[in-house]
């Protein structure tokens, strides 16, 4: 009997120790893993908005970083030090309810649009003073958003509604919807053809959309991709990059032949992706807490340079094409959410073909 109690006590202590270790890991993010290819420059800390803080999209323009907090409904505006972009000179917030997702800023005027998935709206706001201007009702689950300069339309992916909404930013009204017959996750524009490519996460496909015609003009498989999420397009070499959340894969899709030409395994739960065209680098961030650094050696040749340990839930990122810095958004528990800033390290034979 005593022996049994002793074994049970030992198992209980081990379980308590494991639980404590997991809690400590979740609460305290620690320094990212070392890398030959990326230099960690520090954290930009954001205000804490609750016990659990989950960040979603990051949008960067003119040394200002907009960060959406899915858990609180706030949109943080982070004014960066222009000299280094590693510290914030000011942090303010646009308030609002419901899960907030994507932000798009108009290129020629001080107007921004932000999606609120739980409230089924796109909110118009002033990105200078963070004042709300108008609320536009849209279909269920408004998520990713972008602006198409050719048609001068704001495009919104409505996940649960299986469609896309088109908004005229001048009148700030919905002008059309496009049926997608599957759940859209993330769109990307091909500047060469003007087509918008929209991945469909539940059917593992990508659709080409002609926004001027307001119609889908083609759909193709992204196999072996399962659960396509973040995407980017390199128009010059006619390639689309997509990360696949359900099988931890990066796929490379030929926009001319409409087929996947390359794939490689990356960190678990990949959600966002960014492409630095000057350095021919692809960055991917996933919920498992890995920042993948992939080098493009040719249209169909790719190699994983490094997989940097970040923190569980650090699944969103953006790259600055001017400074080549990478900003990775961290989720947090009982702590302040934060943005990790990385810069590429000059390694002979890696950084460039320019």
């Amino acid at each position: 009997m005593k022996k049994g109690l002793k074994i049970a006590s030992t198992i209980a202590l081990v379980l308590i120790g494991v639980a404590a270790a997991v809690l400590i890991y979740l609460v305290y993010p620690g320094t990212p893993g070392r890398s030959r290819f990326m230099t960690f420059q520090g954290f930009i800390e954001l205000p804490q908005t609750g016990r659990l803080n989950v960040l979603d999209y990051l949008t960067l323009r003119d040394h200002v970083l907009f960060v959406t907090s899915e858990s609180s409904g706030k949109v943080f505006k982070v004014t960066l030090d222009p000299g280094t972009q590693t510290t914030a000179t000011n942090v303010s917030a646009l308030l609002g309810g419901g899960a907030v997702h994507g932000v798009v800023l108009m290129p020629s005027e001080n107007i921004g649009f932000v999606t609120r998935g739980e409230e089924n709206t796109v909110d118009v706001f002033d990105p200078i003073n963070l004042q709300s201007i108008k609320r536009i009702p849209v279909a269920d689950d408004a998520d990713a958003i972008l602006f198409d300069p050719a048609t001068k339309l704001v495009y919104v992916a409505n996940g649960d509604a299986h469609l896309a909404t088109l908004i005229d930013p001048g009148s700030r009204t919905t002008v059309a919807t496009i049926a997608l017959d599957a759940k859209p996750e993330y769109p990307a524009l091909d500047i060469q053809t003007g087509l918008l490519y929209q991945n469909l996460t539940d059917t593992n496909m990508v659709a080409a959309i002609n926004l001027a015609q307001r119609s889908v003009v083609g759909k193709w498989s992204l196999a072996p991709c399962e659960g396509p999420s973040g995407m980017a397009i390199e128009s010059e070499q006619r390639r689309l990059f997509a990360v696949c959340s359900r099988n931890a894969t990066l796929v490379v899709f030929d926009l001319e032949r409409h087929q996947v030409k390359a794939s490689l395994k990356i960190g678990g739960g990949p959600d966002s992706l960014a492409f630095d065209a000057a350095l021919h680098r692809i960055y991917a961030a996933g919920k498992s807490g890995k920042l993948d650094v992939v080098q493009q050696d040719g249209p169909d040749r790719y190699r994983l340079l490094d997989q940097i340990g970040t923190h569980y839930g650090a699944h969103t990122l953006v790259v600055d094409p001017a400074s080549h810095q990478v900003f990775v958004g961290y989720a947090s528990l009982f702590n302040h959410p934060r943005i990790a800033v990385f810069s590429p390290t000059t390694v002979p034979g890696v950084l460039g073909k320019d």
Side-chain angles (χ1 to χ4, degrees):
M1 186 72 174
K2 289 183 178 179
K3 186 176 181 181
L5 288 173
K6 187 175 181 180
I7 293 173
S9 299
T10 301
I11 293 173
L13 288 172
V14 170
L15 291 175
I16 291 170
V18 170
V22 170
L23 183 62
I24 290 170
Y25 167 74
L26 291 175
V27 172
Y28 299 102
T31 304
R34 296 175 64 88
S35 172
R36 290 176 53 224
F37 303 97
M38 302 294 291
T39 299
F40 171 61
Q41 296 186 288
F43 287 117
I44 298 171
E45 197 169 275
L46 302 178
Q48 187 175 347
T49 57
R51 293 186 180 88
L52 177 65
N53 298 271
V54 179
L55 305 181
D56 205 355
Y57 289 85
L58 274 62
T59 304
L60 179 66
R61 189 174 77 178
D62 298 333
H63 310 297
V64 177
L65 184 65
F66 289 87
V67 184
T68 58
S69 173
E70 183 176 355
S71 54
S72 71
K74 292 182 178 179
V75 180
F76 292 111
K77 177 184 177 182
V78 184
T79 304
L80 302 171
D81 179 348
T84 64
Q85 295 204 133
T86 58
T87 57
T89 60
N90 185 59
V91 178
S92 51
L94 170 69
L95 305 181
V100 64
H101 297 294
V103 169
V104 67
L105 306 171
M106 294 299 98
S108 58
E109 56 181 320
N110 292 322
I111 294 293
F113 295 81
V114 57
T115 56
R116 294 192 180 276
E118 289 180 349
E119 299 194 343
N120 303 326
T121 64
V122 173
D123 289 358
V124 188
F125 71 99
D126 184 330
I128 301 297
N129 57 29
L130 297 183
Q131 294 297 310
S132 295
I133 297 173
K134 184 178 180 179
R135 173 158 285 194
I136 305 170
V138 294
D140 291 352
D141 192 21
D143 191 355
I145 186 171
L146 59 74
F147 173 69
D148 175 35
T151 60
K152 295 181 172 56
L153 291 171
V154 172
Y155 174 96
V156 179
N158 297 95
D160 292 344
H162 291 188
L163 57 78
T165 300
L166 300 183
I167 294 172
D168 176 4
S171 64
R172 299 163 193 170
T173 58
T174 297
V175 294
T177 59
I178 301 172
L180 299 173
D181 302 321
K183 185 171 184 174
E185 181 71 18
Y186 195 85
L189 280 172
D190 177 11
I191 59 173
Q192 191 171 117
T193 64
L195 292 175
L196 179 144
Y197 286 83
Q198 173 67 69
N199 58 21
L200 304 171
T201 189
D202 51 351
T203 59
N204 305 322
M205 301 185 77
V206 64
I209 300 173
N210 185 317
L211 293 180
Q213 298 175 1
R214 301 177 184 181
S215 63
V216 175
V217 295
K219 287 183 182 179
W220 304 278
S221 171
L222 287 175
C225 182
E226 297 178 13
S229 182
M231 289 201 314
I233 286 178
E234 185 192 8
S235 290
E236 181 183 347
Q237 299 198 71
R238 313 302 299 137
R239 293 297 183 267
L240 177 150
F241 311 120
V243 291
C244 315
S245 60
R246 292 199 296 270
N247 64 340
T249 302
L250 166 71
V251 297
V252 180
F253 180 79
D254 188 325
L255 292 172
E256 299 298 327
R257 294 182 173 84
H258 304 136
Q259 59 186 235
V260 172
K261 303 294 287 185
S263 65
L264 66 159
K265 301 301 289 185
I266 56 177
D271 189 36
S272 58
L273 177 148
F275 178 62
D276 188 325
L279 302 186
H280 297 273
R281 277 193 178 180
I282 301 166
Y283 299 100
K287 294 178 181 177
S288 66
K290 301 294 181 184
L291 171 63
D292 292 281
V293 184
V294 176
Q295 189 69 31
Q296 180 192 51
D297 294 321
D300 302 321
R301 293 187 296 116
Y302 301 83
R303 55 196 166 101
L304 182 64
L305 293 181
D306 209 345
Q307 194 172 83
I308 303 168
T310 53
H311 195 252
Y312 182 80
H315 66 104
T316 183
L317 60 77
V318 69
V319 64
D320 183 351
S323 69
H324 307 291
Q325 289 170 303
V326 179
F327 299 82
V328 180
Y330 276 43
S332 65
L333 180 65
F334 305 121
N335 208 336
H336 288 266
R338 61 198 63 210
I339 308 295
V341 186
F342 298 87
S343 283
T345 303
T346 303
V347 177
V350 170
L351 279 193
K353 302 179 179 181
D354 34 85

